[in-house]
Amino acid sequence: MLRNNLRDEFRRGEAGTAVYEGSSGIPLRENLRFVNETFNPNVPFGITIEERFSNRQIPLNDSFTMNLDLGHALTCRYLINPSTSTEFMYKAQRQRKIWWMRYACDPGRFFISDPRQDANSRIQSVAIKSHLGGEELTLEQLELVPADAVGEEELGDFRIKAGRTNSKRIRPSVLRVRQCVEVATLQVVLDAFESGGDGASVKIHRKLAPFKCGVVCLSEDPAMLPELRDLAKHLCNVLRKANLPVLDCSERSGATNERRSLAKQLHHLDSIAVPYSLVLRDQALQNGLFQLRSRDTTLSETIHISDLPQYLLKIVTS
């Protein structure tokens, strides 16, 4: 689930630049033809393609590699006017660094490598990296391919206007942004654990967390516990229908004098990176009010059952 959430966030692209979903089963030129005929976009725009691979060594840095029996590579290719390609690359690498910082517990660990340029192809490249456990971890590669180095097998007959007032059709430059989903997942998990201090709370970003919310019950009257658990199941169904993954912990819950206290239940949810918890007490059966607790602040607010799922959806996606 964490890997899928990372994949979805990558596919959203960067603000201000249209990004379209491509198919890995056909060449880029076929994806380009479909996007051009369907949307007729203006450059710059991107096409994201996910590819599966097997039995591959993924370099983590200059010293270490990760062996993957099965992995997933995400590549976004941006089609750019050659006259603005260098400027676009500088902007893109800053945006990609900010993208990683946005979802990290420690934003200061990310940096951009020194740029390189191949003497023959003139392809410029940089990498987004992070400092983890005294080592550097390569997260993404950005490669700017000049227009004259982009092959016909990649673009086909796709051409763009040379300028607003120039009707001449030219071949675009291509900026490739590549990410291994498994390496990205490793980065998010290690960042959360390394930044977690005593490990009591694993603070994976709410948009990436596998479960957005956990539901726990606490009753002073054992006779009311079955009804409270039924309410918990109802709320779980409401949230799941709104595409909010929720962890139902109501069966672990019980009366206040039982061994598993509320503090232990919340500690359990914090330790598995659940960003929000719904705490149902007996009063919820009478007035529909319960507490919504934040993992990051440990503060709770009282909300009404009618606020779900809209309120939780709003704060999770904000």
Side-chain angles (χ1 to χ4, degrees), residues 8-299:
D8 291 342
E9 292 302 315
F10 179 90
R11 286 171 171 166
R12 297 183 197 279
E14 302 299 337
T17 304
V19 175
Y20 303 94
E21 187 75 19
S23 172
S24 60
I26 58 177
L28 175 62
R29 62 179 181 273
E30 298 297 331
N31 281 299
L32 267 175
R33 182 178 293 113
F34 173 79
V35 169
N36 195 38
E37 293 175 353
T38 306
F39 303 102
N40 191 27
N42 295 319
V43 293
F45 68 90
I47 297 179
T48 299
I49 296 175
E50 178 181 355
E51 297 175 308
R52 292 186 179 183
F53 60 83
S54 58
N55 301 320
R56 184 181 298 180
Q57 288 188 334
I58 305 299
L60 300 179
N61 53 35
D62 294 335
S63 304
F64 298 99
T65 60
M66 182 168 64
N67 296 320
L68 290 176
D69 295 331
L70 180 64
H72 303 77
L74 286 170
T75 303
C76 186
R77 293 175 174 87
Y78 291 96
L79 287 300
I80 319 159
N81 193 306
S83 63
T84 60
S85 59
T86 301
E87 177 187 351
F88 186 89
M89 182 176 184
Y90 285 134
K91 178 182 177 181
Q93 67 189 40
R94 290 195 303 269
Q95 288 178 329
R96 293 310 302 166
K97 178 186 173 184
I98 293 171
W99 186 90
W100 282 102
M101 295 170 65
R102 185 186 306 141
Y103 298 117
C105 297
D106 180 7
R109 69 171 75 248
F110 301 97
F111 65 99
I112 301 172
S113 70
D114 294 332
R116 298 179 180 179
Q117 180 168 332
D118 185 270
N120 297 321
S121 64
R122 295 185 295 110
I123 294 177
Q124 302 176 49
S125 63
V126 296
I128 309 298
K129 298 185 176 184
S130 70
H131 293 290
L132 271 174
E135 297 286 345
E136 293 181 1
L137 180 63
T138 301
L139 305 174
E140 285 185 3
Q141 296 282 351
L142 286 80
E143 296 177 336
L144 178 60
V145 185
D148 56 7
V150 182
E152 289 289 339
E153 69 279 0
E154 190 169 10
L155 291 183
D157 58 359
F158 181 80
R159 298 293 185 271
I160 63 172
K161 287 184 179 181
R164 293 182 179 179
T165 59
N166 190 341
S167 60
K168 181 182 178 181
R169 311 292 290 186
I170 61 173
R171 185 180 298 175
S173 298
V174 176
L175 175 64
R176 302 189 190 115
V177 181
R178 296 177 176 175
Q179 177 190 109
C180 174
V181 181
E182 284 70 25
V183 173
T185 304
L186 177 66
Q187 161 65 38
V188 171
V189 173
L190 292 180
D191 169 68
F193 276 100
E194 190 174 271
S195 306
D198 58 3
S201 178
V202 179
K203 295 184 178 180
I204 293 177
H205 193 278
R206 61 186 181 278
K207 289 186 178 180
L208 303 181
F211 293 102
K212 310 304 181 189
C213 180
V215 180
V216 299
C217 300
L218 200 66
S219 176
E220 296 179 357
D221 183 359
M224 300 183 69
L225 194 55
E227 290 186 55
L228 209 56
R229 287 172 174 165
D230 287 342
L231 176 60
K233 289 179 172 57
H234 168 71
L235 292 178
C236 288
N237 290 332
V238 169
L239 295 175
R240 286 166 183 158
K241 287 181 180 179
N243 293 321
L244 285 170
V246 58
L247 185 62
D248 184 2
C249 300
S250 60
E251 293 299 327
R252 301 182 181 182
S253 310
T256 54
N257 60 352
E258 287 194 0
R259 181 177 60 85
R260 193 173 185 89
S261 66
L262 175 62
K264 289 183 178 180
Q265 295 178 65
L266 295 178
H267 173 78
H268 169 70
L269 291 172
D270 289 348
S271 67
I272 58 174
V274 180
Y276 296 100
S277 303
L278 293 179
V279 182
L280 307 184
R281 291 185 169 87
D282 295 337
Q283 65 179 16
L285 297 173
Q286 280 77 44
N287 56 22
L289 297 175
F290 49 87
Q291 278 68 52
L292 175 64
R293 175 188 178 270
S294 168
R295 172 202 64 198
D296 296 341
T297 65
T298 69
L299 299 177

